[in-house]
Amino acid sequence: MSPPALTRGYEVVIGLETHTQLATVSKIFSGASTAFGASPNTQASAVDLALPGTLPVLNRGAVERAIRLGLAVGGAIAPLSIFARKNYFYPDLPKGYQISQYELPVVQGGTVEFHLAGVPHSVRLTRAHLEEDAGKSVHEGFEDCSGIDLNRAGTPLLEIVSEPDMRSSKEAVEYAKALHALVVWLDICDGNMQEGSFRCDANVSVRRPGAPYGTRREIKNLNSFRHMAQAIDFEVQWQIDQIEDGLQVHQATVLFDADTGETRAMRSKEDAHDYRYFPDPDLPPLVIEPAWIERVRGDMPELPRSMAGRFEREDGLAAADALVMTQSLAFARFYESVKAAGAPAKMAANWLMGEVSRRLNAEERGIESSPVAPETLAALIARIADGTVSNNGAKQVFDELWMFDPSRDAVVPGEVLTSSAPFSTDAATAEVDAVIAAKGLKQLSDSSELERIVDAVLAANPKSVDEYRAGKDKAFNALVGQAMKASKGSANPAQLGELLKKKLA
């Protein structure tokens, strides 16, 4: 591997700690709901607050989601792990401690792989441990004070800690995107960054090439990939400026201000001993037997890397195209549904990477809310293949299908559809044919009519005929253009070209 690019002569060193809220119905140590958006402090049970006389009980679903992640990244699932109390004092932590794992985490090691500019990268994982989330301080709507909402307290988290393997903000963002896609694919997290379900802390330092690691500063609570890149880039420049000015970089926790694009110190960074970890006396060790791991393995979906490899082998897709098809489980399932409805794999992939993705990106939709069903897209591709409609005409049909689906009301751009019942193949074909007919996009393939058009064009353009026979290929294109014009754009281009060449010969 080539040496990392330097920034002003310094090597950037980045590691990420990712807090992944696990998609369980109840909290990690209580039966309180984890639903987002409830009125403040209506979902904080006595157990979440550690009131006297309460005891935590571990959520089995949270453990199984941790096992899923460990299996997916190739980590070791600890046969025995221990919960500890991480003591610190903050207004949104009424217990005065957070139940977490320290010495023996549930997942140890593993690797996350991704591509950056077509080049494969991998980041090693140190660990992934289970813990409970804290509450939330609310500042908006208050004067000279803050509110505390404890609904989030006790929500199960899987904190995924990477090694300091990243050397640029771009690498960090692509790693975070790959991890985000993986936890959503595994159905262990909904991935909603705006709601705080997936948030990252970035540990950033700089050093001269070959020197020991520099002093790191931790950027807390990055909940968008764009802000992550901005925060890391600013922090790198700030640290280099400090060193170049002869000043020291002190270990600290910092926050990113999206309005100014700057990081600012929040507090001096504590080390592990400052938190005063000790085993939680109310929770026994977590024992995970091999049979439990195998049951979880058996329920897991096919992993993205495996599926992409299958698409390359069985469908003949290029590696880059297979990666796009497996960008999410929903996208992969849509692609497979288009194939199952009869579309050739390469044409299905091309349409998904082209017109479908263009529309989805423009309207900020996910593939699961596509107004065009997989069966309908397959029917449209079939009409291209059999010559009923040209590629250009098919794009017009697709635009019409996207904006209006006869089985539902008109689609409002940006609206997320809740109904996605598949069409039958016959219904999808009828839908596509109706749009082709309504817009007059059916290609003219009648050989006698095409021959009449070609004869008329050749008779009207003797100069172009002579130039073509004299070896000027451009003259042929001119004749094709005249014939398409005479057919009002409805002629089948391939059939028309063959007939022209036959006549000119």
Side-chain angles (χ1 to χ4, degrees), residues 161-359:
V161 182
S162 83
E163 292 289 317
D165 287 350
M166 290 155 277
R167 295 295 178 264
S168 70
S169 63
K170 290 182 179 179
E171 279 188 45
V173 167
E174 289 306 313
Y175 159 80
K177 286 182 176 179
L179 184 58
H180 179 271
L182 180 61
V183 297
V184 174
W185 184 290
L186 294 171
D187 196 28
I188 66 174
C189 174
D190 65 18
N192 193 319
M193 300 182 75
Q194 289 73 31
E195 295 178 2
S197 299
F198 185 91
R199 55 192 192 270
C200 300
D201 301 338
N203 291 288
V204 181
S205 65
V206 298
R207 65 177 177 179
R208 291 292 188 183
Y213 286 138
T215 302
R216 63 185 173 86
R217 303 214 310 169
E218 183 181 27
I219 311 170
K220 295 289 288 185
N221 294 330
L222 297 168
N223 63 354
S224 90
F225 299 125
R226 182 169 61 88
H227 289 167
M228 179 185 293
Q230 292 175 338
I232 292 173
D233 287 339
F234 178 87
E235 181 64 25
V236 166
Q237 296 297 333
W238 183 90
Q239 290 189 23
I240 293 175
D241 287 342
Q242 288 287 105
I243 296 170
E244 293 291 296
D245 290 342
L247 303 173
Q248 284 190 322
V249 174
H250 297 285
Q251 188 171 344
T253 299
V254 303
L255 295 175
F256 175 67
D257 188 329
D259 294 329
T260 64
E262 300 177 354
T263 57
R264 55 182 174 81
M266 176 182 173
R267 60 177 180 264
S268 61
K269 176 64 180 176
E270 302 92 343
D271 286 317
H273 63 266
D274 294 319
Y275 284 121
R276 294 188 296 116
Y277 283 91
F278 62 86
D280 192 298
D282 294 332
L283 286 163
L286 170 61
V287 177
I288 301 176
E289 297 179 349
W292 189 5
I293 296 173
E294 291 310 309
R295 284 197 300 271
V296 173
R297 191 194 307 272
D299 291 337
M300 286 175 62
E302 183 180 10
L303 294 177
R305 291 194 302 274
S306 173
M307 188 179 286
R310 177 164 62 82
F311 290 165
E312 290 181 55
R313 293 189 308 274
E314 297 179 4
D315 298 346
L317 296 188
D321 295 352
L323 284 175
V324 176
M325 293 305 103
T326 54
Q327 61 185 273
S328 72
L329 186 57
F331 204 97
R333 293 286 184 251
F334 195 102
Y335 163 70
E336 290 193 304
S337 295
V338 177
K339 288 192 304 172
K346 185 59 180 173
M347 290 185 73
N350 286 342
W351 270 85
L352 283 167
M353 291 186 294
E355 294 302 305
V356 175
S357 290
R358 178 181 65 83
R359 280 286 194 172

Side-chain angles (χ1 to χ4, degrees), residues 38 67 69 83 97 109 120 158 174 197 210 214 218 319 323 329 342 383 402 421 433 486:
I67 295 173
L69 187 279
F83 286 96
Y97 64 87
L158 187 64
E174 289 306 313
S197 299
E218 183 181 27
L323 284 175
L329 186 57
R383 286 296 180 247
W402 188 274
D433 288 346

